[in-house]
């Protein structure tokens, strides 16, 4: 397993550029941008009530398994990571050289969990384009495509691009990650097994059909105010 783990990290554990920003006031449906429509289609209006969220980030590839467990309090930005027998607690307001690696892992895992919300939180940090009736990479179906490209400064992996493939209800069905805005995807997966956590609609399973890999979430708990 130890020999396979770096491959898992290369395939799935790509850190992403994202920053928490202040919540913006709600808008009417007519006023919402495409970014907001996607976020709200996943229950973003309930995020303001979240006191704590816990989840385990899992990756299966062939016979190997990797996991990390997180507890996050968005209000205070307190984070606790559990991996194997190790536990690390820190605050995202005071990230330093001692916890920067853990924070990069947290940003990556949280992005997989809450990417539709990051479209609102990060909207000042990327440029985006919206296209209709584009062929999705996994299913081959026609879907609407939202592409975001992060700026070249800030974050852990600046310049990265993500292609979100959306259903008519604006929910993410598939996505692709393109490191440094490369023309071809480094990774494409499904978004499936959506579950409702206090109004938050979260895809708990992501599959890469080509490699047979699975990235998924377990032990998901959301505590509301």
């Amino acid at each position: 397993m130890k020999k396979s783990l770096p491959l898992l990290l290369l395939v799935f554990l790509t850190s992403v550029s994202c920053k928490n920003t202040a919540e913006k006031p709600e808008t009417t449906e007519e006023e919402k941008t495409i970014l907001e429509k996607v976020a709200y289609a996943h229950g973003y209006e309930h995020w303001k009530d979240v006191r704590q969220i816990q989840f385990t980030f899992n990756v299966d590839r062939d016979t190997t398994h990797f996991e990390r467990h997180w507890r996050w309090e968005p209000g205070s930005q307190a984070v606790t990571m559990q991996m194997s027998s190790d536990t690390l607690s820190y605050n995202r307001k005071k990230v330093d050289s001692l916890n920067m690696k853990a924070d990069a892992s947290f940003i990556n895992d949280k992005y997989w969990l809450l990417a539709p919300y990051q479209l609102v939180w990060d909207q000042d940090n990327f440029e985006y384009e919206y296209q209709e009736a584009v062929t999705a990479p996994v299913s081959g179906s026609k879907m609407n495509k939202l592409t975001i490209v992060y700026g070249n400064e800030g974050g852990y992996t600046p310049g990265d691009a993500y292609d979100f493939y959306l259903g008519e209800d604006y929910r993410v069905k598939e996505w692709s990650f393109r490191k440094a805005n490369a023309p071809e995807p480094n990774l494409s997966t499904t978004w499936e097994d959506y579950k409702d956590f206090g109004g938050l609609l979260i895809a708990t399973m992501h599959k890469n059909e080509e490699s047979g890999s699975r990235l998924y979430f377990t032990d998901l708990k959301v505590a509301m105010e």
Side-chain angles (χ1 to χ4, degrees):
M1 179 178 296
K2 291 183 179 179
K3 293 183 178 179
S4 300
L5 183 56
L7 179 59
L8 285 177
L9 297 176
L10 176 63
V11 172
F12 277 117
L13 308 187
T14 50
S15 298
V16 294
S17 305
C18 54
K19 299 177 181 178
N20 291 319
T21 57
E23 294 180 2
K24 300 181 182 298
E26 293 187 15
T27 57
T28 65
E29 189 64 31
E30 292 75 15
E31 296 173 329
K32 287 186 176 72
T33 65
I34 182 60
L35 304 175
E36 293 168 329
K37 287 179 179 179
V38 175
Y40 279 87
H42 295 78
Y44 180 68
E45 66 271 23
H46 299 286
W47 181 258
K48 64 183 184 300
D49 300 319
V50 174
R51 178 173 56 82
Q52 182 187 92
I53 185 167
Q54 299 184 49
F55 61 93
T56 299
F57 173 90
N58 303 269
V59 177
D60 290 344
R61 181 180 176 86
D62 299 325
T63 59
T64 64
H65 174 77
F66 173 83
E67 67 181 45
R68 282 190 288 249
H69 182 77
W70 299 97
R71 183 173 67 249
W72 177 37
E73 297 178 4
S76 67
Q77 288 299 311
V79 175
T80 297
M81 179 187 73
Q82 292 178 300
M83 191 169 67
S84 298
S85 59
D86 298 327
T87 299
L88 173 67
S89 296
Y90 69 99
N91 194 291
R92 296 212 66 241
K93 296 177 181 178
K94 299 178 181 178
V95 175
D96 55 30
S97 59
L98 298 177
N99 49 44
M100 185 175 295
K101 184 176 180 180
D103 191 59
S105 296
F106 172 71
I107 291 298
N108 175 80
D109 299 1
K110 175 174 69 73
Y111 202 95
W112 278 94
L113 185 74
L114 302 174
Y117 302 166
Q118 298 288 163
L119 295 175
V120 174
W121 294 336
D122 293 354
Q123 62 185 303
D124 294 332
N125 301 326
F126 59 69
E127 296 182 352
Y128 68 91
E129 179 183 11
Y130 184 61
Q131 299 171 275
E132 297 183 348
V134 176
T135 302
V138 179
S139 65
S141 301
K142 292 294 184 180
M143 299 184 191
N144 296 335
K145 175 184 175 184
L146 171 64
T147 295
I148 66 172
V149 182
Y150 281 90
N152 290 320
E153 296 181 3
Y156 290 106
T157 55
D160 289 346
Y162 296 84
D163 302 314
F164 295 79
Y165 295 86
L166 312 173
E168 294 300 322
D169 57 1
Y170 295 105
R171 290 188 192 171
V172 183
K173 305 298 184 185
E174 303 175 20
W175 79 343
S176 293
F177 164 71
R178 295 183 289 113
K179 185 172 179 61
N181 198 20
E184 296 298 324
N186 297 82
L187 175 69
S188 297
T189 73
T190 62
W191 278 59
E192 52 188 292
D193 290 350
Y194 274 92
K195 296 181 181 178
D196 189 323
F197 297 90
L200 308 183
L201 300 179
I202 296 175
T204 59
M205 175 63 69
H206 306 279
K207 296 178 181 178
N208 181 283
E209 301 294 344
E210 184 176 352
S211 67
S213 303
R214 302 188 310 153
L215 186 154
Y216 57 99
F217 295 96
T218 56
D219 307 315
L220 239 169
K221 299 178 182 178
V222 179
M224 299 291 197
E225 295 289 357

